[in-house]
Amino acid sequence: MIQKKAATAIIEVANMENPPLYLLLGEDAYDRAMTKLDRLREDFLLNEELSKAMAYNG
């Protein structure tokens, strides 16, 4: 049953005019990805000043 649901989702995405670059299949995958994004955002914000100081100003 899970394979059928995944195949249906993939076919649906393949038929979209603007399909997503990434497709998370399942609540667990979605939750893990969102947790990862939260952690990345925290890291980026902690180092925002240093990161922006590295901008090339030609």
Side-chain angles (χ1 to χ4, degrees), residues 1-29:
M1 182 65 172
I2 292 173
Q3 294 88 349
K4 184 177 180 180
K5 288 173 88 173
T8 300
I10 292 168
I11 291 168
E12 183 177 335
V13 168
N15 289 320
M16 290 179 175
E17 186 174 327
N18 295 306
L21 184 58
Y22 300 100
L23 178 63
L24 301 171
L25 298 177
E27 186 174 353
D28 57 336

Side-chain angles (χ1 to χ4, degrees), residues 30-53:
Y30 183 87
D31 290 344
R32 288 179 67 180
M34 296 309 285
T35 298
K36 177 69 174 184
L37 286 173
D38 290 341
R39 289 180 182 159
L40 285 171
R41 182 175 180 71
E42 288 173 14
D43 275 354
F44 294 160
L45 289 172
L46 285 173
N47 297 293
E48 180 179 7
E49 187 177 331
L50 179 59
S51 294
K52 289 181 176 181

